[in-house]
PDB file of all heavy atoms in Angstrom:
ATOM      1  N   MET A  76      28.454  31.842  15.188  1.00 98.00           N
ATOM      2  CA  MET A  76      27.526  32.226  14.139  1.00 98.00           C
ATOM      3  C   MET A  76      26.446  31.131  14.001  1.00 98.00           C
ATOM      4  O   MET A  76      25.282  31.421  13.842  1.00 98.00           O
ATOM      5  CB  MET A  76      28.229  32.415  12.796  1.00 98.00           C
ATOM      6  CG  MET A  76      28.946  33.738  12.710  1.00 98.00           C
ATOM      7  SD  MET A  76      27.738  35.147  12.573  1.00 98.00           S
ATOM      8  CE  MET A  76      28.842  36.500  12.122  1.00 98.00           C
ATOM      9  N   LEU A  77      26.851  29.885  13.995  1.00 98.00           N
ATOM     10  CA  LEU A  77      25.884  28.796  13.949  1.00 98.00           C
ATOM     11  C   LEU A  77      24.992  28.775  15.169  1.00 98.00           C
ATOM     12  O   LEU A  77      23.769  28.571  15.088  1.00 98.00           O
ATOM     13  CB  LEU A  77      26.585  27.415  13.812  1.00 98.00           C
ATOM     14  CG  LEU A  77      25.696  26.210  13.899  1.00 98.00           C
ATOM     15  CD1 LEU A  77      24.588  26.193  12.807  1.00 98.00           C
ATOM     16  CD2 LEU A  77      26.538  24.926  13.794  1.00 98.00           C
ATOM     17  N   MET A  78      25.568  29.043  16.365  1.00 98.00           N
ATOM     18  CA  MET A  78      24.803  29.103  17.576  1.00 98.00           C
ATOM     19  C   MET A  78      23.694  30.118  17.452  1.00 98.00           C
ATOM     20  O   MET A  78      22.521  29.878  17.907  1.00 98.00           O
ATOM     21  CB  MET A  78      25.688  29.425  18.788  1.00 98.00           C
ATOM     22  CG  MET A  78      24.937  29.599  20.084  1.00 98.00           C
ATOM     23  SD  MET A  78      26.004  29.844  21.534  1.00 98.00           S
ATOM     24  CE  MET A  78      26.693  31.450  21.139  1.00 98.00           C
ATOM     25  N   ALA A  79      23.965  31.278  16.880  1.00 98.00           N
ATOM     26  CA  ALA A  79      22.967  32.280  16.696  1.00 98.00           C
ATOM     27  C   ALA A  79      21.793  31.794  15.831  1.00 98.00           C
ATOM     28  O   ALA A  79      20.641  31.991  16.151  1.00 98.00           O
ATOM     29  CB  ALA A  79      23.573  33.540  16.046  1.00 98.00           C
ATOM     30  N   LYS A  80      22.129  31.085  14.740  1.00 98.00           N
ATOM     31  CA  LYS A  80      21.072  30.548  13.869  1.00 98.00           C
ATOM     32  C   LYS A  80      20.275  29.443  14.609  1.00 98.00           C
ATOM     33  O   LYS A  80      19.037  29.378  14.394  1.00 98.00           O
ATOM     34  CB  LYS A  80      21.691  29.960  12.588  1.00 98.00           C
ATOM     35  CG  LYS A  80      22.388  30.982  11.707  1.00 98.00           C
ATOM     36  CD  LYS A  80      21.468  32.158  11.366  1.00 98.00           C
ATOM     37  CE  LYS A  80      20.244  31.712  10.586  1.00 98.00           C
ATOM     38  NZ  LYS A  80      19.359  32.877  10.347  1.00 98.00           N
ATOM     39  N   LEU A  81      20.932  28.667  15.424  1.00 98.00           N
ATOM     40  CA  LEU A  81      20.196  27.600  16.182  1.00 98.00           C
ATOM     41  C   LEU A  81      19.253  28.203  17.212  1.00 98.00           C
ATOM     42  O   LEU A  81      18.182  27.728  17.461  1.00 98.00           O
ATOM     43  CB  LEU A  81      21.225  26.668  16.831  1.00 98.00           C
ATOM     44  CG  LEU A  81      21.946  25.749  15.841  1.00 98.00           C
ATOM     45  CD1 LEU A  81      23.090  25.044  16.535  1.00 98.00           C
ATOM     46  CD2 LEU A  81      20.989  24.678  15.231  1.00 98.00           C
ATOM     47  N   PHE A  82      19.688  29.304  17.824  1.00 98.00           N
ATOM     48  CA  PHE A  82      18.832  29.989  18.791  1.00 98.00           C
ATOM     49  C   PHE A  82      17.591  30.556  18.061  1.00 98.00           C
ATOM     50  O   PHE A  82      16.483  30.488  18.587  1.00 98.00           O
ATOM     51  CB  PHE A  82      19.603  31.131  19.465  1.00 98.00           C
ATOM     52  CG  PHE A  82      20.118  30.775  20.814  1.00 98.00           C
ATOM     53  CD1 PHE A  82      21.472  30.764  21.093  1.00 98.00           C
ATOM     54  CD2 PHE A  82      19.281  30.448  21.857  1.00 98.00           C
ATOM     55  CE1 PHE A  82      21.971  30.416  22.348  1.00 98.00           C
ATOM     56  CE2 PHE A  82      19.753  30.095  23.123  1.00 98.00           C
ATOM     57  CZ  PHE A  82      21.111  30.084  23.355  1.00 98.00           C
ATOM     58  N   GLN A  83      17.813  31.137  16.885  1.00 98.00           N
ATOM     59  CA  GLN A  83      16.609  31.618  16.121  1.00 98.00           C
ATOM     60  C   GLN A  83      15.684  30.489  15.761  1.00 98.00           C
ATOM     61  O   GLN A  83      14.465  30.673  15.841  1.00 98.00           O
ATOM     62  CB  GLN A  83      17.145  32.317  14.836  1.00 98.00           C
ATOM     63  CG  GLN A  83      17.827  33.618  15.038  1.00 98.00           C
ATOM     64  CD  GLN A  83      18.320  34.279  13.764  1.00 98.00           C
ATOM     65  OE1 GLN A  83      18.745  33.588  12.838  1.00 98.00           O
ATOM     66  NE2 GLN A  83      18.288  35.604  13.661  1.00 98.00           N
ATOM     67  N   GLU A  84      16.263  29.348  15.431  1.00 98.00           N
ATOM     68  CA  GLU A  84      15.437  28.219  15.084  1.00 98.00           C
ATOM     69  C   GLU A  84      14.642  27.666  16.239  1.00 98.00           C
ATOM     70  O   GLU A  84      13.441  27.388  16.127  1.00 98.00           O
ATOM     71  CB  GLU A  84      16.303  27.125  14.483  1.00 98.00           C
ATOM     72  CG  GLU A  84      15.563  25.852  13.967  1.00 98.00           C
ATOM     73  CD  GLU A  84      14.578  26.147  12.852  1.00 98.00           C
ATOM     74  OE1 GLU A  84      14.775  27.176  12.159  1.00 98.00           O
ATOM     75  OE2 GLU A  84      13.712  25.308  12.593  1.00 98.00           O
ATOM     76  N   ILE A  85      15.291  27.548  17.418  1.00 97.00           N
ATOM     77  CA  ILE A  85      14.607  26.977  18.550  1.00 97.00           C
ATOM     78  C   ILE A  85      13.557  27.990  19.103  1.00 97.00           C
ATOM     79  O   ILE A  85      12.482  27.613  19.634  1.00 97.00           O
ATOM     80  CB  ILE A  85      15.586  26.599  19.671  1.00 97.00           C
ATOM     81  CG1 ILE A  85      14.948  25.547  20.581  1.00 97.00           C
ATOM     82  CG2 ILE A  85      16.088  27.802  20.490  1.00 97.00           C
ATOM     83  CD1 ILE A  85      15.923  24.877  21.542  1.00 97.00           C
ATOM     84  N   GLN A  86      13.804  29.283  18.911  1.00 97.00           N
ATOM     85  CA  GLN A  86      12.847  30.308  19.325  1.00 97.00           C
ATOM     86  C   GLN A  86      11.622  30.213  18.416  1.00 97.00           C
ATOM     87  O   GLN A  86      10.481  30.434  18.860  1.00 97.00           O
ATOM     88  CB  GLN A  86      13.422  31.695  19.233  1.00 97.00           C
ATOM     89  CG  GLN A  86      12.554  32.817  19.878  1.00 97.00           C
ATOM     90  CD  GLN A  86      13.264  34.142  19.837  1.00 97.00           C
ATOM     91  OE1 GLN A  86      13.779  34.558  18.807  1.00 97.00           O
ATOM     92  NE2 GLN A  86      13.275  34.836  20.925  1.00 97.00           N
ATOM     93  N   ARG A  87      11.807  29.813  17.157  1.00 94.00           N
ATOM     94  CA  ARG A  87      10.713  29.724  16.227  1.00 94.00           C
ATOM     95  C   ARG A  87       9.732  28.599  16.621  1.00 94.00           C
ATOM     96  O   ARG A  87       8.530  28.671  16.345  1.00 94.00           O
ATOM     97  CB  ARG A  87      11.303  29.369  14.814  1.00 94.00           C
ATOM     98  CG  ARG A  87      10.310  29.477  13.657  1.00 94.00           C
ATOM     99  CD  ARG A  87      11.035  29.198  12.387  1.00 94.00           C
ATOM    100  NE  ARG A  87      11.466  27.812  12.279  1.00 94.00           N
ATOM    101  CZ  ARG A  87      10.674  26.836  11.803  1.00 94.00           C
ATOM    102  NH1 ARG A  87       9.472  27.101  11.390  1.00 94.00           N
ATOM    103  NH2 ARG A  87      11.139  25.602  11.751  1.00 94.00           N
ATOM    104  N   HIS A  88      10.218  27.629  17.415  1.00 91.00           N
ATOM    105  CA  HIS A  88       9.376  26.533  17.838  1.00 91.00           C
ATOM    106  C   HIS A  88       8.434  26.944  19.000  1.00 91.00           C
ATOM    107  O   HIS A  88       7.455  26.265  19.290  1.00 91.00           O
ATOM    108  CB  HIS A  88      10.261  25.327  18.269  1.00 91.00           C
ATOM    109  CG  HIS A  88      10.870  24.610  17.151  1.00 91.00           C
ATOM    110  ND1 HIS A  88      10.544  23.294  16.854  1.00 91.00           N
ATOM    111  CD2 HIS A  88      11.761  24.981  16.241  1.00 91.00           C
ATOM    112  CE1 HIS A  88      11.234  22.897  15.764  1.00 91.00           C
ATOM    113  NE2 HIS A  88      12.003  23.892  15.368  1.00 91.00           N
ATOM    114  N   ARG A  89       8.767  28.039  19.658  1.00 85.00           N
ATOM    115  CA  ARG A  89       7.902  28.708  20.662  1.00 85.00           C
ATOM    116  C   ARG A  89       7.507  27.769  21.818  1.00 85.00           C
ATOM    117  O   ARG A  89       6.352  27.844  22.327  1.00 85.00           O
ATOM    118  CB  ARG A  89       6.691  29.276  20.018  1.00 85.00           C
ATOM    119  CG  ARG A  89       6.965  30.344  18.963  1.00 85.00           C
ATOM    120  CD  ARG A  89       5.669  30.941  18.436  1.00 85.00           C
ATOM    121  NE  ARG A  89       5.971  31.972  17.406  1.00 85.00           N
ATOM    122  CZ  ARG A  89       6.353  33.208  17.647  1.00 85.00           C
ATOM    123  NH1 ARG A  89       6.459  33.647  18.870  1.00 85.00           N
ATOM    124  NH2 ARG A  89       6.601  34.022  16.643  1.00 85.00           N
ATOM    125  N   GLN A  90       8.370  26.880  22.228  1.00 86.00           N
ATOM    126  CA  GLN A  90       8.046  26.052  23.406  1.00 86.00           C
ATOM    127  C   GLN A  90       8.194  26.805  24.706  1.00 86.00           C
ATOM    128  O   GLN A  90       7.566  26.488  25.676  1.00 86.00           O
ATOM    129  CB  GLN A  90       8.962  24.783  23.411  1.00 86.00           C
ATOM    130  CG  GLN A  90       8.618  23.809  22.278  1.00 86.00           C
ATOM    131  CD  GLN A  90       9.389  22.501  22.379  1.00 86.00           C
ATOM    132  OE1 GLN A  90      10.232  22.380  23.283  1.00 86.00           O
ATOM    133  NE2 GLN A  90       9.113  21.550  21.544  1.00 86.00           N
ATOM    134  N   ARG A  91       9.048  27.836  24.693  1.00 90.00           N
ATOM    135  CA  ARG A  91       9.202  28.743  25.819  1.00 90.00           C
ATOM    136  C   ARG A  91       9.297  30.172  25.231  1.00 90.00           C
ATOM    137  O   ARG A  91       9.731  30.421  24.142  1.00 90.00           O
ATOM    138  CB  ARG A  91      10.467  28.429  26.607  1.00 90.00           C
ATOM    139  CG  ARG A  91      10.329  27.284  27.571  1.00 90.00           C
ATOM    140  CD  ARG A  91      11.502  27.215  28.545  1.00 90.00           C
ATOM    141  NE  ARG A  91      11.214  26.292  29.648  1.00 90.00           N
ATOM    142  CZ  ARG A  91      11.542  24.997  29.622  1.00 90.00           C
ATOM    143  NH1 ARG A  91      12.030  24.480  28.527  1.00 90.00           N
ATOM    144  NH2 ARG A  91      11.218  24.232  30.632  1.00 90.00           N
ATOM    145  N   SER A  92       8.868  31.104  26.096  1.00 95.00           N
ATOM    146  CA  SER A  92       8.953  32.517  25.703  1.00 95.00           C
ATOM    147  C   SER A  92      10.256  33.089  26.265  1.00 95.00           C
ATOM    148  O   SER A  92      10.469  33.110  27.476  1.00 95.00           O
ATOM    149  CB  SER A  92       7.775  33.271  26.273  1.00 95.00           C
ATOM    150  OG  SER A  92       7.867  34.642  25.970  1.00 95.00           O
ATOM    151  N   PHE A  93      11.165  33.467  25.370  1.00 98.00           N
ATOM    152  CA  PHE A  93      12.449  34.054  25.817  1.00 98.00           C
ATOM    153  C   PHE A  93      12.919  35.067  24.779  1.00 98.00           C
ATOM    154  O   PHE A  93      12.492  35.044  23.621  1.00 98.00           O
ATOM    155  CB  PHE A  93      13.472  32.988  26.079  1.00 98.00           C
ATOM    156  CG  PHE A  93      13.884  32.153  24.860  1.00 98.00           C
ATOM    157  CD1 PHE A  93      14.935  32.539  24.057  1.00 98.00           C
ATOM    158  CD2 PHE A  93      13.134  31.057  24.497  1.00 98.00           C
ATOM    159  CE1 PHE A  93      15.287  31.730  22.964  1.00 98.00           C
ATOM    160  CE2 PHE A  93      13.456  30.250  23.413  1.00 98.00           C
ATOM    161  CZ  PHE A  93      14.557  30.652  22.659  1.00 98.00           C
ATOM    162  N   GLU A  94      13.747  35.966  25.181  1.00 98.00           N
ATOM    163  CA  GLU A  94      14.262  37.040  24.297  1.00 98.00           C
ATOM    164  C   GLU A  94      15.721  36.810  23.995  1.00 98.00           C
ATOM    165  O   GLU A  94      16.482  36.271  24.826  1.00 98.00           O
ATOM    166  CB  GLU A  94      14.069  38.364  25.027  1.00 98.00           C
ATOM    167  CG  GLU A  94      14.312  39.582  24.141  1.00 98.00           C
ATOM    168  CD  GLU A  94      13.993  40.884  24.875  1.00 98.00           C
ATOM    169  OE1 GLU A  94      13.363  40.821  25.955  1.00 98.00           O
ATOM    170  OE2 GLU A  94      14.397  41.990  24.373  1.00 98.00           O
ATOM    171  N   LEU A  95      16.119  37.203  22.804  1.00 98.00           N
ATOM    172  CA  LEU A  95      17.524  37.083  22.356  1.00 98.00           C
ATOM    173  C   LEU A  95      18.100  38.426  22.001  1.00 98.00           C
ATOM    174  O   LEU A  95      17.465  39.253  21.327  1.00 98.00           O
ATOM    175  CB  LEU A  95      17.578  36.123  21.138  1.00 98.00           C
ATOM    176  CG  LEU A  95      17.138  34.692  21.319  1.00 98.00           C
ATOM    177  CD1 LEU A  95      17.145  34.010  19.962  1.00 98.00           C
ATOM    178  CD2 LEU A  95      18.060  34.001  22.295  1.00 98.00           C
ATOM    179  N   THR A  96      19.353  38.640  22.403  1.00 98.00           N
ATOM    180  CA  THR A  96      20.149  39.746  21.921  1.00 98.00           C
ATOM    181  C   THR A  96      21.441  39.161  21.367  1.00 98.00           C
ATOM    182  O   THR A  96      22.136  38.427  22.060  1.00 98.00           O
ATOM    183  CB  THR A  96      20.486  40.768  23.055  1.00 98.00           C
ATOM    184  OG1 THR A  96      19.256  41.387  23.460  1.00 98.00           O
ATOM    185  CG2 THR A  96      21.472  41.846  22.541  1.00 98.00           C
TER     186      THR A  96
END
Side-chain angles (χ1 to χ4, degrees):
M76 281 291 191
L77 173 58
M78 177 175 65
K80 296 307 298 178
L81 289 169
F82 262 116
Q83 288 179 325
E84 182 65 18
I85 203 168
Q86 191 177 47
R87 191 177 69 86
H88 287 245
R89 299 185 182 279
Q90 292 188 354
R91 279 194 169 88
S92 177
F93 62 94
E94 189 175 348
L95 297 173
T96 293

